[in-house]
Each structure stands twice: as C-alpha cells, then as structure tokens.
Amino acid sequence: MFSTFGLFQSLSCPERNNCNRPSCIFSHSSDLPSHHSLNIPVQDPSTAPLPQKTANPSSDVVQPSKRPFHNLAQGLPSGSNGPPTQRLRVGTAKKPVAVPAASHTSTGVPILRINPAQSQVALPVRQVMLKTLYEHFVVLYDAILPLNPTLASEHALRQEEQVYNKSNKLTYRNAVINSIAALKRRPIPTSISHPSVGTEEDLVARAESRKKLDNLRVTRDILKPVVMSLEDMQTWGFIAEVPEGLGGDQPSADGKIVQCERCTQSYMVKSNPASEECLYHWGRLFTHKVNGERLRSYSCCSKPAEEGGCTRGPHVFYESRAEDLHSRHAFSFTRPSVTDTEMDSTDTALDVVALDCEMIYTTGGMRVARVSVVDGFGKQVFDELARMDDGVEVVDYNTRFSGITQEEHAQATLSLSSIRKSLDAFINCDTIVIGHALHNDLNTLRIIHHQCVDTAILFPHRAGPPYRRSLRDLAKEHLGLTIQAGGGTSGHSSVEDSVATLDLVRWYVLNKLKPAAKT
C-alpha cells in the first residue's frame, strides 16, 4: 500500500468507533472540532403568509434571467440598459445585384453609380470595362449619334449590366471582351431602326421576333376576325359611300376664305402665299406634372399651351367633310373582283396589302404626294410619287413629316387618277387593306373600300375614341423597332410605315388573336 499524505487527518471519520478500516484516512481523535451541519429552513406552505399587493407594483417585478426579445425593426425599448441584441440575418442568400445609374462624365463616358459592396466584381474593373464598351459603341453609332447623342451611353450601360448578370467575378472580364469583339463584327448602322442598333440581348430578341413574323403570311382567312365592320368604319371617319355631286369640279380653293389648320386664323387661299405669315407649333400638346401640378406643353419647344408659336410658315388648310373632298377629286369604289366566268382575264389582286401615303399641303387642301404598298410578306409592290391635278399648286411640302422635298416631288409623273389605275392591279373589293389611321390614306386617295384593318383601332388608346396611339409608339412597344426617327428633320417613309403596320398585324395574330375553334 502507498503511504498517505494526511490530507483528511483534520476531518473526523464519519463512522468514528464503528470504523473497521485498518488504515483510515480520516482522524479518530476525540479533540477535533465538531462538524457543522448545513441546515436549510423550509417553511410549511399551509402556514406561509399570502403576498400583499403594494402601491408600487414595479418594485416587486423580478427581472428574468434571459433578455426579452425585441423586434429590431421597431428599435429597443426606452430605458433599456442591457447590451445590444444581435441582429439576425433573415432571408435567402442571393447574388449581389448592382444596377448602374445613368451618370456621365464631361466626355460622355457613363459612370457606374452603385454600392461597391453589392458588386461581385471590383467597381474600378467594371468602370474600365464600361468605358471600353462605350468607346466601341461610339465608333459603331458614328452615323446616328448626331440625332441620338445619348444612345451609345445608354446601350453601354445596359450591355455592361447584361454581361455582369450573366457572369461571375472570374468570367466577367472575358465576357466583356467577347462582347466587344461582337460589336466590332456588326455592320455600321445608317438609322436608329437598323438591325445593328442595340445590346446583344436586344439583337437576339429582335431576331427571334423577326423570324416568327417573317414565317407568318397573313391571309384573308386569318384576318377576317379583325376586319372592321361598316359601323366601326363610319365611327372612325371612314367614308363608306360615294358623296353626292359631280366630283372633282372644284380642284382648288384659290381665292376662298378658309381657316388655317396651324394657327386657326382665317385667310384667303393663294397660289403663292407668304412663307412666314403663319406662327404655329408643329408639335403636339402633351400633359405632364411639375411639382404635382398638371401642365400642358408642346412637344416641339416645351412651351406651355398659352404661349405663341415657335415656327413660321405659310397658312394651310385641311378638309375632312366627304362633300368637300369629293369636290376636289371624285371618290370611287375599288374595282370588283374578276369572276370565274370571265375566262379571258386573270385577277392579279392580292389577298392582303399594307398601304401608307405621305401628304402635302396644296391650294386644294391636303393631297397625296407618295403612295407605298407592300404585300402579305412585307415585299414592296408599289412606291410612286403623285403629281398634283391641274390647277392645284403646292403650298407646303410638309417635309418635317412627309419626308418629301421640292426637288424630289418635281420628278413625279403620275397623277392621282393614274395611281388609282395602277393600284387596281393589286387591290380589288375583296383585298384586305392594312394601315394605320387608314381613313386618312383612303380619303386622300379618294378610295372607298370596305375590307380594312386599322392598327390604330386594333391597338386602342387607353383613353378610348377618338384618341389613337401613334404608329411609332406601337412599333417600339410591340416590335422593338424605332421608326420615324428623323426627329422632325427628315420626315417619315411610307414604305417603312406600311411594313410596320403589316408587322403589327402579324404580331397581333401571333399574340392576341384567338385561334378559331375546330368544327
């Protein structure tokens, strides 16, 4: 046995005289102090006094051993002296999103206005890549930047954001380099509606939509559900019957007093009017809010509706009454179709055409100056300038909207009657004619036709009749195309507009028109 250290010799043996251990580690001496017992007082519940309510209940409140939970969104309770509680992370982990804001340097280079903590890629790296993208967009858009000075900056910001969203911090730089290489391979755009204009995602989406539209050939059977009824045509200003009278007996209003369409003043129609006698706004009134107040301003100069015009030109007039239009040049129906019994001829008329006209101001009111027609595939089948009838003089070529100059119109050889005969080769009474605000085109052509599809009515304005959405807005929203992009300087193209109306109808057939039930 090992020897003891005597660590318990100061304690008496619990068994004292009854201890049988030969070598007890405790002491058996009788002079050791007595052992102190631990006595815990226990009160009988039956005799315990009941607690009495005090005047100040807060003095008896026992603080819990754990801190109470407080909603961090509401802040800590007042008077709390405890340590701040730990904020818990709530929600699922997501990739940091850093969306750049539109900010630019003095040289036009866009600047990323984002929180660096939200970006997986270092902000200086992204800024350098954005600058490189911007420089290549400037080179690509060199021909169209004068009319669209912010286009390169906007597309560079969007392209960089698209690349960032599709990559990570390891692949980001190479993804931007590949995007720049693709920019270098694009053909140089000549207009804002060119296929090369846009980011990579814009081009892909546009190509897929274009493929679907090109593969769809609209036919008479497909478009029957959207052909306007005779009542709808009359509601929207179409002339459904030939007006009474000889027709064409007063081709010019020279010497008559009429009201100017631009400034609403009365004036006498003259063949050689003063070029700056009318002060007017060529833009439209639009409503916008400034400091919560609704204001009406002109789109051409942003002046309020109460102020005078911003442009000078000759007085012009516009006629819409069927009788007045008929007196300038006679109305007539489209020709009947060739029947099966007429074996000596074959009808060359198309099932579907899209039509658009450009008009100019004359002494006989607003008259057609260019006519464009495309078939159901979007292929151009007719595009001619129209010279004025005898006795009718041009007052204003309205180049800002018509796109027709005096030099171009001087080459016109076909009269309106000759153009009508040429259109008979493509259009008969059964041909479905597509257009935007088509009643204006048919009225200026002096055509009465009952098989019409009008995109201004097919895509109604949210305010209802008589309001119409512009062809430009509809093409931008549904087709992703920018048309009529001259900015009030180069005018419209009737070929471009007729193709756009056809594509809008194709889009409607693909996305809105319910398929006919099978029987």
Side-chain angles (χ1 to χ4, degrees):
M1 293 293 293
F2 297 100
S3 60
T4 63
F5 290 99
L7 299 177
F8 296 96
Q9 289 299 314
S10 61
L11 298 177
S12 61
C13 180
E15 297 184 2
R16 296 201 177 243
N17 298 330
N18 297 326
C19 180
N20 296 324
R21 300 183 184 87
S23 300
C24 183
I25 61 174
F26 296 100
S27 173
H28 287 264
S29 300
S30 57
D31 56 350
L32 290 176
S34 61
H35 178 72
H36 295 281
S37 61
L38 181 63
N39 295 323
I40 301 177
V42 179
Q43 189 175 21
D44 188 0
S46 59
T47 61
L50 294 174
Q52 297 180 357
K53 294 184 179 180
T54 60
N56 185 11
S58 60
S59 61
D60 295 336
V61 175
V62 179
Q63 294 291 338
S65 59
K66 294 183 179 180
R67 293 191 300 271
F69 172 78
H70 300 293
N71 189 345
L72 296 180
Q74 301 176 354
L76 291 174
S78 60
S80 175
N81 297 324
T85 57
Q86 183 180 4
R87 293 183 178 274
L88 301 179
R89 188 180 298 274
V90 181
T92 58
K94 295 182 178 180
K95 177 180 177 180
V97 177
V99 179
S103 181
H104 309 82
T105 64
S106 58
T107 59
V109 179
I111 300 175
L112 289 173
R113 296 294 186 185
I114 58 177
N115 186 353
Q118 292 182 319
S119 179
Q120 285 189 326
V121 181
L123 190 57
V125 175
R126 291 186 62 181
Q127 184 62 53
V128 171
M129 294 291 100
L130 174 61
K131 182 176 181 291
T132 306
L133 281 170
Y134 169 75
E135 292 171 348
H136 283 81
F137 271 112
V138 168
V139 173
L140 180 66
Y141 294 165
D142 180 64
I144 61 176
L145 277 182
L147 293 177
N148 308 275
T150 63
L151 192 64
S153 176
E154 294 170 359
H155 287 184
L157 277 169
R158 289 175 49 209
Q159 182 65 55
E160 192 280 334
E161 181 185 355
Q162 292 169 8
V163 171
Y164 171 78
N165 291 334
K166 290 182 178 180
S167 58
N168 54 45
K169 60 183 179 180
L170 300 178
T171 62
Y172 171 79
R173 188 187 296 269
N174 286 336
V176 175
I177 293 174
N178 292 335
S179 181
I180 293 173
L183 281 176
K184 293 180 178 180
R185 293 192 295 267
R186 293 190 195 180
I188 302 298
T190 55
S191 67
I192 196 172
S193 58
H194 194 276
S196 294
V197 177
T199 64
E200 289 183 7
E201 290 186 1
D202 292 341
L203 267 61
V204 171
R206 196 182 303 148
E208 291 179 355
S209 177
R210 183 77 258 170
K211 184 177 180 181
K212 291 181 180 179
L213 293 178
D214 290 341
N215 290 336
L216 175 65
R217 181 185 177 228
V218 288
T219 62
R220 188 182 300 157
D221 293 335
I222 293 176
L223 295 184
K224 278 183 178 180
V226 294
V227 171
M228 299 175 64
S229 66
L230 194 58
E231 293 180 358
D232 289 338
M233 293 179 65
Q234 292 172 339
T235 301
W236 286 96
F238 287 79
I239 297 176
E241 298 293 338
V242 176
E244 296 181 359
L246 181 61
D249 54 323
Q250 298 179 9
S252 176
D254 195 3
K256 293 187 177 181
I257 303 298
V258 295
Q259 186 181 54
C260 179
E261 184 194 10
R262 291 169 169 171
C263 65
T264 69
Q265 293 183 5
S266 296
Y267 76 101
M268 178 182 290
V269 179
K270 294 179 289 187
S271 299
N272 297 309
S275 60
E276 295 185 356
E277 61 184 354
C278 179
L279 181 63
Y280 66 99
H281 292 282
W282 59 263
R284 294 183 177 181
L285 280 171
F286 68 98
T287 304
H288 59 108
K289 286 187 177 182
V290 176
N291 298 327
E293 182 181 0
R294 293 171 63 90
L295 299 177
R296 296 272 288 171
S297 303
Y298 285 97
S299 60
C300 50
C301 59
S302 299
K303 287 184 178 181
E306 298 78 17
E307 293 196 16
C310 61
T311 307
R312 287 194 174 273
H315 287 303
V316 296
F317 72 99
Y318 173 85
E319 295 174 321
S320 58
R321 291 180 65 247
E323 294 77 10
D324 295 335
L325 295 174
H326 188 57
S327 68
R328 307 299 176 204
H329 189 102
F331 277 92
S332 61
F333 284 95
T334 46
R335 68 171 178 86
S337 59
V338 177
T339 62
D340 295 336
T341 59
E342 300 176 18
M343 302 301 295
D344 57 336
S345 60
T346 303
D347 200 334
T348 59
L350 303 174
D351 281 355
V352 177
V353 298
L355 180 147
D356 188 74
C357 298
E358 301 298 345
M359 281 81 83
I360 59 179
Y361 290 106
T362 71
T363 56
M366 182 170 273
R367 301 294 291 269
V368 62
R370 182 183 177 185
V371 184
S372 300
V373 180
V374 298
D375 62 12
F377 288 107
K379 180 181 177 181
Q380 176 183 315
V381 295
F382 187 82
D383 183 30
E384 291 290 342
L385 294 171
R387 65 175 175 84
M388 297 300 105
D389 293 338
D390 294 338
V392 178
E393 301 294 334
V394 177
V395 175
D396 190 344
Y397 287 94
N398 200 28
T399 306
R400 178 178 282 111
F401 298 104
S402 68
I404 298 173
T405 63
Q406 182 177 358
E407 294 76 14
E408 292 173 343
H409 191 257
Q411 302 174 9
T413 59
L414 297 178
S415 65
L416 177 55
S417 299
S418 300
I419 285 181
R420 284 291 311 274
K421 291 179 180 178
S422 300
L423 292 179
D424 285 343
F426 314 110
I427 303 173
N428 64 16
C429 62
D430 295 326
T431 302
I432 293 179
V433 179
I434 299 171
H436 186 82
L438 185 58
H439 70 288
N440 290 325
D441 301 309
L442 296 182
N443 288 353
T444 194
L445 287 170
R446 304 302 194 263
I447 291 178
I448 297 178
H449 190 69
H450 293 169
Q451 300 294 311
C452 300
V453 175
D454 195 331
T455 52
I457 302 169
L458 205 59
F459 299 88
H461 195 284
R462 62 181 180 181
Y467 300 101
R468 296 178 175 89
R469 297 191 62 186
S470 68
L471 180 60
R472 181 180 180 179
D473 289 345
L474 291 175
K476 185 67 175 178
E477 177 180 343
H478 299 294
L479 305 177
L481 296 177
T482 302
I483 62 172
Q484 303 173 358
T489 58
S490 61
H492 302 175
S493 167
S494 52
V495 174
E496 181 184 52
D497 291 354
S498 58
V499 172
T501 56
L502 175 67
D503 287 343
L504 282 171
V505 172
R506 285 168 159 176
W507 185 93
Y508 187 90
V509 170
L510 288 173
N511 298 275
K512 296 291 186 179
L513 189 61
K514 296 180 180 179
K518 296 182 179 180
T519 57

